[in-house]
Amino acid sequence: MSTENEGTEGNAVPAVPSVPPAPPVPATTPDPAAENVRDEPRDTTAAEATPPAAPAVPPATPTHMDAPRHTPTAQGTPQDHAATAHTPPHPHQPPHSPYGAAPEPPAGAASWPPPPPAVPSYAGGGAAHTPGVGNGSGGGPVWGAPSPQPGHTPSQGSGKRGAGGLIAAVAVAALVAGGIGGALGFWAADRNDNGSSGSSTTVSASDSPRDLKRPAGTVAGVAAKALPSVVTIDAQGGDGEGGTGTGFVYDKEGHILTNNHVVASAAESGELSATFSDGKKYAAEVVGRAQGYDVAVLKLKNPPAGLAPLPLGNSESVAVGDSTIAIGAPFGLSNTVTTGIISAKNRPVASGDGSSSKNSYMSALQTDASINPGNSGGPLLDATGAVIGINSAIQSTGGGLGQSQAGSIGLGFAIPINQAKNVAEQLIKTGKPVYPVIGATVSMEEKTGGAAISPEGAAGTPSVTPNGPAAKAGLKPGDVITKFNDTVIDSGPTLIGEIWTRKPGEKVTLTYERDGKTSTAEVTLGQREGDS
């Protein structure tokens, strides 16, 4: 069904009169002398620029009148064909006059029948549709229909129907699609106006995917630059235990930074390997690990040339709401990239390595980027591609923090890179971690209103180390520490996490309560070497 008839259902076409009435005055009287000369499309007058109201439906051409057929001019511009009473309808109607111009009348017909108004065929201007003639355009131009080739005379058996039909179909479908239709329609009309021709038309994208370049600031740009420096770590212990984690290139000498719990099962006796994003695999060994910080440093045994360390950012300058990008191997799926934001800072987190009763403590960066088992040890990047943390722990629905086979619920935790960098440098230098301490044992209970100094230490030792930093500052068993500098302390793990973000020798201010009174003390942090 022709689209021109839409909106005109139920309007009957008047019967053909035996004698045509006086014809209405046409918008423009064609010049018979110029009938066969159509090199240039005529100028559109001001009246034609605004389509007039639709005139009454003109009577159809009497069936006993045979309009002469016209052949293309010397320049190859085809003329309109009229159907005869005894000839079957022509299945392919050549393109009509340029948009906005009235069709040329047949030779000898003077000004009758009059030309239809200058209304595009898709506007539903009321021009009568002659069944069986052409493609149902009703005398108006077909939007997006191409001009035939110069010198080509359309015929009923033409094999070129596919090209014109394809463009018209694309244009009609695109008009429904909105803006895309406008672009394709303009493209097709432009081809008609310019008189270009061809047996087929190919529409192709301007760029193939491999030619697209992502800006450095996009997630795709950051990931493309970082992925070659991220490795998937396979740790196989001597007892058959093992697992998969992540790490990243720390320096050009082949050091890899990761979590302690990723390599703990293979640290003493086992095999370690690191696989890059290009699939190349290298054997590795442990240089040093810090169970309390949950940080470990590996060294590739035969590092490849051209290693590109990931740039390290400043975790102190991170703000809640900053964009984050996590790269890792969740559930063994290497080179996985996820995104999110920093959802909290200084989050106290205690997690275990699964092989001992000892916990790791951190004042973590919290992110909602999807982190799952296997992401551990991988980099948490900011929007510039700099490492701001090491993905280390997740909150699972089963309760408790740490690695679990439960999936991500949007609560992931990363060791701040400023702390991890200090630990890594110490491990590379000595192979052992160094911890800052205050020289006091605190309770691990969470509902004490702070970090309460225990009545006694482990195995009956004093809870406040004699002549240690806390003792020198006047702290005693039973004191409850409520602030570390300006950070509120609500539990023992929170205090430990804050202390371990500092270096031995730094001076800090502790706020504590004793017998209902609040006091402050300046403490110079001591140190402890190794995990014990």
Side-chain angles (χ1 to χ4, degrees):
M1 183 179 75
S2 171
T3 57
E4 291 179 347
N5 294 328
E6 292 177 0
T8 60
E9 259 183 85
N11 294 337
V13 178
V16 179
S18 58
V19 179
V25 179
T28 301
T29 302
D31 182 4
E35 179 180 8
N36 291 323
V37 180
R38 297 173 62 186
D39 292 341
E40 300 288 338
R42 64 185 180 86
D43 294 335
T44 303
T45 64
E48 291 171 331
T50 304
V57 178
T61 304
T63 56
H64 62 274
M65 294 177 62
D66 289 346
R69 297 181 179 270
H70 300 281
T71 58
T73 64
Q75 287 75 19
T77 304
Q79 300 296 319
D80 295 329
H81 291 261
T84 66
H86 307 291
T87 303
H90 200 297
H92 308 292
Q93 180 169 338
H96 295 275
S97 56
Y99 179 76
E104 301 288 352
S111 60
W112 184 258
V119 178
S121 61
Y122 55 79
H129 168 60
T130 304
V133 178
N135 56 8
S137 66
V142 178
W143 185 260
S147 298
Q149 300 181 31
H152 172 68
T153 303
S155 62
Q156 184 167 351
S158 173
K160 302 298 183 181
R161 181 174 182 267
L166 173 62
I167 299 176
V170 170
V172 170
L175 285 172
V176 178
I180 297 177
L184 286 177
F186 174 81
W187 172 80
D190 183 62
R191 285 177 57 85
N192 289 341
D193 291 343
N194 293 336
S196 61
S197 62
S199 59
S200 63
T201 301
T202 301
V203 180
S204 60
S206 58
D207 293 306
S208 61
R210 64 185 177 187
D211 296 328
L212 295 177
K213 296 190 184 225
R214 273 80 177 180
T218 64
V219 174
V222 170
K225 186 175 181 180
L227 276 168
S229 299
V230 179
V231 299
T232 299
I233 297 173
D234 183 39
Q236 296 298 326
D239 55 0
E241 293 186 3
T244 300
T246 308
F248 61 92
V249 177
Y250 182 73
D251 57 27
K252 293 184 177 180
E253 285 69 43
H255 289 107
I256 304 295
L257 199 54
T258 186
N259 283 142
N260 171 66
H261 73 258
V262 170
V263 302
S265 61
E268 302 299 333
S269 61
E271 294 183 356
L272 289 167
S273 64
T275 304
F276 284 80
S277 60
D278 60 2
K280 294 182 178 179
K281 188 174 183 179
Y282 299 86
E285 60 186 356
V286 175
V287 171
R289 59 194 187 100
Q291 179 271 329
Y293 292 120
D294 196 17
V295 173
V297 176
L298 307 182
K299 178 76 162 58
L300 301 179
K301 292 183 177 180
N302 295 295
L307 286 175
L310 288 182
L312 304 183
N314 181 5
S315 52
E316 290 294 328
S317 64
V318 171
V320 172
D322 283 351
S323 297
T324 58
I325 301 170
I327 303 179
F331 299 103
L333 302 174
S334 301
N335 310 317
T336 296
V337 179
T338 56
T339 64
I341 62 168
I342 293 292
S343 47
K345 292 181 62 177
N346 304 318
R347 187 71 77 191
V349 174
S351 63
D353 62 12
S355 63
S356 70
S357 59
K358 295 181 180 179
N359 286 329
S360 301
Y361 300 96
M362 68 186 87
S363 182
L365 297 174
Q366 180 180 318
T367 180
D368 67 347
S370 181
I371 296 175
N372 288 286
N375 276 104
S376 291
L380 184 68
L381 309 174
D382 63 15
T384 68
V387 182
I388 55 175
I390 300 177
N391 300 319
S392 182
I394 62 173
Q395 176 74 52
S396 69
T397 55
L401 296 169
Q403 294 303 298
S404 168
Q405 288 305 305
S408 172
I409 59 173
L411 294 172
F413 305 96
I415 303 168
I417 194 60
N418 289 16
Q419 176 183 358
K421 179 182 177 182
N422 292 336
V423 177
E425 292 294 336
Q426 191 67 40
L427 292 176
I428 292 173
K429 183 178 179 181
T430 68
K432 295 181 181 180
V434 174
Y435 298 92
V437 297
I438 63 171
T441 302
V442 296
S443 171
M444 293 293 105
E445 295 181 12
E446 297 184 358
K447 297 181 180 180
T448 58
I453 298 178
S454 302
E456 62 179 27
T461 60
S463 59
V464 177
T465 304
N467 205 32
K472 290 180 180 179
L475 293 174
K476 297 180 179 180
D479 290 346
V480 178
I481 300 171
T482 58
K483 275 189 177 181
F484 182 91
N485 289 336
D486 294 327
T487 302
V488 176
I489 302 300
D490 58 4
S491 66
T494 302
L495 177 63
I496 295 174
E498 285 297 321
I499 293 173
W500 285 357
T501 62
R502 306 291 172 169
K503 293 180 180 180
E506 286 191 34
K507 291 183 178 181
V508 298
T509 300
L510 300 180
T511 302
Y512 64 95
E513 293 180 357
R514 179 188 298 168
D515 300 329
K517 292 179 61 177
T518 299
S519 304
T520 61
E522 187 176 77
V523 177
T524 300
L525 298 176
Q527 72 175 44
R528 185 192 81 206
E529 186 176 300
D531 288 307
S532 60

